[in-house]
Amino acid sequence: DQQVKQNSPSLSVQEGRISILNCDYTNSMFDYFLWYKKYPAEGPTFLISISSIKDKNEDGRFTVFLNKSAKHLSLHIVPSQPGDSAVYFCAAVENTGNQFYFGTGTSLTVIP
Amino acid sequence: DAGVTQSPTHLIKTRGQQVTLRCSPKSGHDTVSWYQQALGQGPQFIFQYYEEEERQRGNFPDRFSGHQFPNYSSELNVNALLLGDSALYLCASSFVRQAYNEQFFGPGTRLTVL
């Protein structure tokens, strides 16, 4: 059973516009959420995270929003740049565990 | 700092064979986690090793086993390979007292089972 879902396999955005990537989860025990970026032939690299006690975390062009009641989080990239083109994974961790649960990923293409 | 390294990069095996994948953690890290990423899927947690013991395990059969050495490096062993074991195998390392966002991934080993 997929506890973390990314329902959009792909997204295309014009350079300079906003990219919004979405993620839904089903497990109410998740208390920490992360976004990873993955280029081909490389491992995922950490991008930004958020604790369940917050509803927003910002780092430069990247902002993650968490809506606990809806069990939904989103990643906003503003402005989008061609170098942002990659596969983005959201991940979640339970408050008692060490296991990361990953979504299936969204492939973002930023068009120059 | 070399970061997390994995070997080999690619591997081709046939059904029924056994395979060993290797991981060297980032300098200063003492915890190693293994993930399987099938094509079009996200990484799936296999298990985590700390202090040379399996600390937590995901939903994988006993054919998947591991080991952690005193220098914190780790091996993932898969016995009786199935076609469905074809995937990218990712190793991630961290320090036990660090925050979750301090987990670093290696580039992975691409395993193909024919």
Side-chain angles (χ1 to χ4, degrees):
Chain A
D1 182 31
Q2 191 77 21
Q3 299 187 48
V4 178
K5 299 177 183 178
Q6 294 176 256
N7 293 318
S8 298
S10 62
L11 175 68
S12 290
V13 173
Q14 287 290 132
E15 180 179 3
R17 305 294 293 269
I18 184 171
S19 294
I20 299 176
L21 294 88
N22 294 304
C23 179
D24 296 294
Y25 62 95
T26 58
N27 186 345
S28 58
M29 299 299 290
F30 289 150
D31 74 338
Y32 198 83
F33 304 88
L34 309 93
W35 283 94
Y36 283 84
K37 178 179 180 180
K38 188 179 186 301
Y39 293 115
E42 295 182 12
T45 55
F46 169 74
L47 193 58
I48 192 169
S49 62
I50 188 167
S51 165
S52 61
I53 62 173
K54 296 185 176 182
D55 54 18
K56 177 182 174 181
N57 188 28
E58 197 169 352
D59 183 3
R61 297 185 297 113
F62 303 92
T63 303
V64 56
F65 295 92
L66 175 62
N67 182 335
K68 289 186 290 295
S69 61
K71 293 189 175 68
H72 176 84
L73 63 156
S74 62
L75 173 68
H76 292 208
I77 306 174
V78 183
S80 300
Q81 301 173 353
D84 297 329
S85 297
V87 177
Y88 289 77
F89 292 98
C90 68
V93 189
E94 289 181 348
N95 54 11
T96 58
N98 304 293
Q99 177 174 347
F100 281 39
Y101 293 83
F102 282 84
T104 52
T106 296
S107 179
L108 173 66
T109 301
V110 180
I111 303 165
Chain B
D1 183 1
V4 180
T5 60
Q6 293 185 243
S7 62
T9 305
H10 295 89
L11 203 52
I12 299 175
K13 292 286 189 178
T14 57
R15 279 178 297 176
Q17 285 189 311
Q18 179 265 344
V19 69
T20 297
L21 311 181
R22 295 176 176 82
C23 172
S24 291
K26 182 177 169 64
S27 176
H29 286 182
D30 57 6
T31 302
V32 174
S33 301
W34 286 92
Y35 291 82
Q36 179 196 66
Q37 185 181 6
L39 197 62
Q41 302 296 314
Q44 299 286 316
F45 178 81
I46 303 174
F47 41 55
Q48 184 182 83
Y49 275 83
Y50 170 66
E51 291 187 336
E52 302 180 47
E53 291 193 356
E54 185 180 289
R55 191 181 185 196
Q56 189 165 357
R57 187 178 184 94
N59 189 25
F60 278 80
D62 291 344
R63 298 187 296 109
F64 290 77
S65 63
H67 188 77
Q68 186 179 35
F69 298 93
N71 67 352
Y72 308 118
S73 67
S74 176
E75 287 182 350
L76 164 65
N77 300 292
V78 187
N79 294 322
L81 284 167
L82 303 174
L83 295 179
D85 295 331
S86 295
L88 179 68
Y89 288 84
L90 295 164
C91 167
S93 74
S94 57
F95 181 61
V96 68
R97 291 186 184 83
Q98 282 178 328
Y100 291 126
N101 60 6
E102 294 294 327
Q103 180 170 238
F104 291 82
F105 284 84
T109 293
R110 173 73 61 186
L111 172 64
T112 301
V113 182
L114 302 176

